[in-house]
Amino acid sequence: PGTMPKSLAVVHMVSNALAMFLTRHTVIRDLVRGTIHTRPTEAFLTGLILVLWPIACSGLAIYHFPSSARLRRAFAMCFCMGATLMVVQPEMEGLGDIFFGRRHHNAKYHYHHTWPGWWFFE
């Protein structure tokens, strides 16, 4: 079997973070809502992504960057920042507006407007 170059491993880690951030209102929010039975705040979702990203990328980091102190510090910083955001939950409701603009949904279909909401909770 071939080996993955380190640059491609970095691309995978960055794309993993981007995918988690972009799907936070569809997949991640609905999974959280199904486990804690309440609507999570934007700060909680962002904190959860910052906690889960180092865990999701740990296999690539261990295999491709076993002695990288910078990456270990970055993972530790992400984990600590995420845990802090999840506990403190500052006002971050405008975060989605910065990147994507405000979305308006019909109140009747607000909860099930994406396929993960339908798939997990219908």
Side-chain angles (χ1 to χ4, degrees):
T3 59
M4 182 186 309
K6 289 184 178 186
S7 59
L8 189 57
V10 171
V11 169
H12 278 299
M13 285 192 265
V14 170
S15 64
N16 187 349
L18 185 63
M20 290 175 88
F21 181 76
L22 293 176
T23 61
R24 73 187 184 281
H25 289 294
T26 54
V27 177
I28 295 173
R29 184 193 65 202
D30 289 335
L31 288 173
V32 169
R33 189 177 226 176
T35 56
I36 63 174
H37 303 292
T38 185
R39 184 180 181 275
T41 63
E42 186 72 28
F44 187 86
L45 289 174
T46 305
L48 184 63
I49 290 169
L50 287 172
V51 167
L52 291 178
W53 181 70
I55 295 169
C57 294
S58 62
L60 284 171
I62 290 170
Y63 185 75
H64 292 287
F65 308 103
S67 61
S68 175
R70 254 199 284 190
L71 186 60
R72 284 194 302 268
R73 280 194 300 266
F75 278 179
M77 184 181 69
C78 281
F79 192 87
C80 291
M81 284 175 45
T84 302
L85 280 175
M86 289 173 69
V87 170
V88 176
Q89 292 189 11
E91 180 64 35
M92 293 180 62
E93 294 303 322
L95 182 65
D97 298 342
I98 293 171
F99 294 105
F100 307 108
R102 179 158 302 276
R103 296 183 198 147
H104 297 284
H105 299 288
N106 187 346
K108 181 179 175 184
Y109 301 106
H110 179 70
Y111 179 61
H112 297 290
H113 70 278
T114 60
W115 73 265
W118 169 81
W119 181 260
F120 293 125
F121 301 107
E122 190 64 32

